[in-house]
Amino acid sequence: MKVTMIAGSNRHNATSTLLLRYIESLMEAQHVSVAFIDLSELQLPLFSPDNWDFHPNVQHMLKAVADADGLILATPEYHGSISGALKNALDYVNVNQVSGKPVLAVSSAGGPLGVSSLTHLQAVVRNLHGINCPEWISIGYGSNTFGSDGAPLDDGLRDRVISLVDRFLQLTKQLTAIVATAATAN
């Protein structure tokens, strides 16, 4: 199984990226192949529908999305929505790369939770014909600190993330099996 994760902040050590790194460690412990795209490191030019000669960084991201069985998208919440960096990245993505794939939404907010950004992110996923995971993860003040091992210090959050990652992986396995069965039948 292959999962592509996109850390949608262009801020170094953003809490949404730290949370995604923790999720990555949980997946790797279960021997899941992970492609990690950190938009603070992999800078993408501003999307323009007039230019289809994509920068190598864009090509790298698009290949990782296309090759994935499932996606995890993380964003900070800015003004009640997703980050401009993540929205720009998703503007490059097309329906053929996401259609039918499970997508887990993750956010970090300066307040208690980043629900507005998650709602907006799920709308983008629906428009790309992805399958939104029925649950999401959001952290805010009080639950946004991490230990030296990368794990959230909040026990409740850590347990929720572990449980949700397991459910996301199960959904990904089920959907991958359905696609494989349909491909064999044709």
Side-chain angles (χ1 to χ4, degrees), residues 35-127:
F36 197 101
I37 306 294
D38 185 341
L39 296 178
S40 72
E41 297 173 3
L42 188 77
Q43 298 286 311
L44 305 179
L46 190 61
F47 174 77
S48 170
D50 292 331
N51 181 10
W52 294 97
D53 183 25
F54 294 150
H55 186 277
N57 288 356
V58 173
Q59 291 175 20
H60 173 75
M61 180 202 63
L62 292 176
K63 180 171 179 8
V65 169
D67 290 348
D69 298 309
L71 304 169
I72 302 179
L73 306 175
T75 184
E77 181 156 316
Y78 292 151
H79 305 297
S81 191
I82 66 176
S83 71
L86 182 58
K87 178 63 170 88
N88 183 57
L90 293 174
D91 284 344
Y92 282 103
V93 177
N94 69 49
V95 170
N96 295 331
Q97 296 156 331
V98 178
S99 183
K101 294 179 183 179
V103 181
L104 175 61
V106 175
S107 77
S108 176
L113 295 173
V115 175
S116 294
S117 58
L118 293 170
T119 302
H120 292 176
L121 187 53
Q122 287 195 330
V124 173
V125 169
R126 274 192 304 279
N127 279 280

Side-chain angles (χ1 to χ4, degrees), residues 91-169:
D91 284 344
Y92 282 103
V93 177
N94 69 49
V95 170
N96 295 331
Q97 296 156 331
V98 178
S99 183
K101 294 179 183 179
V103 181
L104 175 61
V106 175
S107 77
S108 176
L113 295 173
V115 175
S116 294
S117 58
L118 293 170
T119 302
H120 292 176
L121 187 53
Q122 287 195 330
V124 173
V125 169
R126 274 192 304 279
N127 279 280
L128 289 170
H129 301 184
I131 299 172
N132 281 305
C133 198
E135 295 184 66
W136 54 34
I137 302 170
S138 182
I139 60 174
Y141 65 77
S143 65
N144 60 356
T145 54
F146 296 82
S148 60
D149 63 351
L153 293 178
D154 181 273
D155 292 337
L157 174 63
R158 189 173 50 250
D159 292 345
R160 177 167 157 60
V161 171
I162 290 168
S163 177
L164 186 51
V165 165
D166 287 341
R167 288 194 296 277
F168 170 75
L169 290 175

